[in-house]
DNA sequence: TTTTGTGAACGTGTTCACAGCG
DNA sequence: CGCTGTGAACACGTTCACAAAA
C-alpha cells in the first residue's frame, strides 16, 4: 500500500468519530459532503482519504454509515486492544489514567512506572506504581505502547528503556522530539509548543493591528 | 510579512529551546547545522525558517546564541505576558495549572471556571474556581487566551462564550475541532487522535510483518 | 440527477545547490 | 575555507473537475 500521510490518518480519526455520532443518531447513509462539513475539510478530501484504502461508497448514494465505521475501525487498528505502559505518575500521567476514553478505544494500561520513592508502591487505577528501574522487566508484559509523562531530563533515557523492553510505539508528553530507532513510532504532544504557537499568532495580529492603526 | 507556515512556527519553538540550552552551556555561537541536529531537521530548513524574519547569522561564523535567542523570544511573543482563563478544573485542567513551565513562559492563569457545583468555590493554585456561567464577566479581565479542558459536549459552547468575552486565542483539549470566527486563533490538542494515529502505525507495521512472514 | 472515485492541475513546504560574504 | 541566505528544483498534499455508476 502507498504511504499514508500523517494528515490523512488524523482525518480518518475524525471521520471515525463523526461516524460514531451519526451511527448513534440512527442514520444509515452519509455523503462525503456531510462527513466533511463538521471538520472544515472538503468533500474531495474525504473521498481521496478513503480512496487510499478502498472504494467504500456507492455513487449517487454515499457511504453506509455502519460499514464505513467498521472499515475505519479496522484501518485504524481499533478493533484490537493495545497494551500500554505509563511512565511518570505525576499530574499528566494521572490525568491520562483518569481519562475514560483511553480504555474505551482499546488502550489498556497494564503497568505504571515512576522514579519518585513517594509514588512507588502507591496504587493508581488498580495498578501499583513500579520503580522506573524495573522498566526492562516490561519485556515480559508484551507492551505495545509506552507513554512518557516524565520530566524532560528523564525522557530520552525512559524512551531507550522502553524500546529495549520491546515497545513499538511511544506517546511522548515531554517537550522534546526523542530519538527512537526505525520501526518504533513516536508521537509527541508538546503543550509548550502549542502555547508558543498561540503566542506567535496573537503577537502577529496585535502587531499588525498596531501598524494598521498608525497608518490609518 | 509573508504568511508563516504552522510548521515553521513549531520549529522556531524548538530552536528557541535549543538556544536556551546552548546558552546555559555558555556557548556564544551556533551553526545552523548544530541547531538542526537536535530536532531531526536539515540545516537548510533552519536557515530558511530564520530567513523569513531577517538575517540573523554571519556567513562563515554562524549565529550569536544570545542574539538569536532574544530575536526568537520577540518573534514568538514570549517577551510579553499573556492573560489566560482556564475552563474546566478536572484532571487535565489541574495538570495544566500544576505545570510550572506555563507561568515561566509568560502565561498567567488569571481565572478558572467550571460548571460542577462541587468544584465552584474551591481554591486551586491561588485562584477560586468560578461558575462557568460567569465567563461573560471575563471581558473585564482582558483575557488573551482561553484554555478549554471541559468534556466534549460543553466545548463549543464554552468557546463561543470565551470569544464573546474577547479572547483572541483558544487552546482546546476537547477531541473536536471547534468553530471560531476569523481573527481568533485555535489550537487543538487531541490525545485521542494521537493514540489512534499510533494505533494505525502499529497496526500497519504488524500487518506488513505478517505478510512478509507469510511470503518468506 | 446525485454522488463517488480519481487523474490532472495546483499550491505549499522542503531540499538542493551555490553565490556571497566573513 | 566555512557558513549563511536564497532562488530554483523538487516532493507532497490538496483541490479541481469530470467520467462512471447508481
Amino acid at each position: 500500500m502507498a504511504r499514508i500521510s500523517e494528515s490523512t490518518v488524523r482525518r480518518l480519526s475524525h471521520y471515525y468519530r463523526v461516524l460514531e455520532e451519526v451511527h448513534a443518531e440512527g442514520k444509515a447513509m452519509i455523503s462525503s459532503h456531510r462527513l466533511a462539513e463538521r471538520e472544515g475539510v472538503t468533500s474531495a478530501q474525504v473521498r481521496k482519504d478513503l480512496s487510499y484504502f478502498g472504494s467504500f461508497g456507492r455513487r449517487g448514494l454515499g457511504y453506509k454509515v455502519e460499514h464505513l465505521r467498521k472499515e475505519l475501525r479496522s484501518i485504524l487498528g481499533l478493533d484490537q486492544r493495545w497494551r500500554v505502559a505509563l511512565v511518570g505518575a505525576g499530574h499528566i500521567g494521572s490525568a491520562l489514567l483518569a481519562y475514560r476514553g483511553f480504555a474505551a478505544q482499546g488502550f489498556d494500561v497494564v503497568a505504571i512506572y515512576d522514579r519518585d520513592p513517594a509514588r512507588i508502591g502507591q496504587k493508581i487505577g488498580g495498578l501499583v506504581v513500579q520503580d522506573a528501574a524495573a522498566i526492562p522487566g516490561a519485556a515480559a508484559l508484551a507492551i505495545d505502547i509506552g507513554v512518557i509523562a516524565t520530566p524532560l531530563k528523564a525522557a530520552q533515557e525512559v524512551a531507550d528503556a522502553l524500546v529495549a523492553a520491546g515497545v513499538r510505539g511511544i506517546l511522548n508528553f515531554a517537550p522534546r522530539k526523542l530519538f527512537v530507532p526505525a520501526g518504533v513510532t513516536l508521537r509527541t504532544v508538546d503543550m509548550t509548543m502549542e502555547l508558543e504557537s498561540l503566542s506567535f499568532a496573537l503577537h502577529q495580529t496585535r502587531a499588525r493591528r498596531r501598524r494598521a492603526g498608525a497608518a490609518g
Side-chain angles (χ1 to χ4, degrees), chain A:
Chain A
M1 188 193 296
R3 193 192 144 268
I4 304 300
S5 81
E6 176 72 29
S7 14
T8 291
V9 177
R10 297 177 78 82
R11 283 192 299 267
L12 291 181
S13 229
H14 274 303
Y15 305 152
Y16 180 65
R17 244 169 282 168
V18 172
L19 286 168
E20 290 206 309
E21 284 182 26
V22 172
H23 179 62
E25 289 166 10
K27 291 246 181 184
M29 300 295 289
I30 189 168
S31 68
S32 59
H33 185 78
R34 277 259 300 140
L35 260 175
E37 71 189 9
R38 301 209 191 190
E39 283 309 329
V41 163
T42 66
S43 60
Q45 182 77 77
V46 174
R47 297 197 298 277
K48 187 66 112 179
D49 285 339
L50 296 177
S51 77
Y52 295 134
F53 301 93
S55 301
F56 305 120
R58 303 238 256 159
R59 294 169 195 236
L61 300 173
Y63 302 86
K64 279 181 84 171
V65 172
E66 184 52 13
H67 177 238
L68 185 57
R69 194 178 70 92
K70 279 190 179 146
E71 288 285 355
L72 285 185
R73 199 173 154 73
S74 157
I75 289 167
L76 288 171
L78 298 176
D79 49 3
Q80 60 193 276
R81 302 204 71 81
W82 300 101
R83 293 170 66 80
V84 177
L86 168 67
V87 186
H91 292 284
I92 296 177
S94 307
L96 287 173
L97 276 174
Y99 177 49
R100 280 178 40 72
F102 219 88
Q105 293 299 329
F107 300 88
D108 295 316
V109 178
V110 297
I112 307 176
Y113 297 93
D114 203 299
R115 180 171 285 174
D116 184 349
R119 291 201 191 116
I120 296 169
Q122 286 207 335
K123 214 167 181 176
I124 306 182
L127 289 168
V128 176
V129 177
Q130 313 280 319
D131 188 329
I135 294 179
L141 298 174
I143 305 289
D144 300 296
I145 295 173
V147 176
I148 300 181
T150 68
L152 175 55
K153 283 196 170 184
Q156 182 63 58
E157 193 183 330
V158 166
D160 295 342
L162 286 170
V163 169
V167 310
R168 299 187 300 120
I170 288 180
L171 181 56
N172 170 42
F173 287 89
R176 158 92 44 90
K177 214 178 264 170
L178 303 175
F179 293 101
V180 293
V184 175
T185 305
L186 174 72
R187 285 293 118 84
T188 298
V189 175
D190 188 336
M191 276 178 282
T192 307
M193 185 173 288
E194 300 298 335
L195 279 169
E196 288 180 6
S197 145
L198 263 181
S199 170
F200 172 82
L202 266 53
H203 181 65
Q204 288 278 102
T205 58
R206 180 177 283 180
R208 197 174 301 142
R209 199 172 302 157
R210 261 203 305 274
R211 275 200 304 280

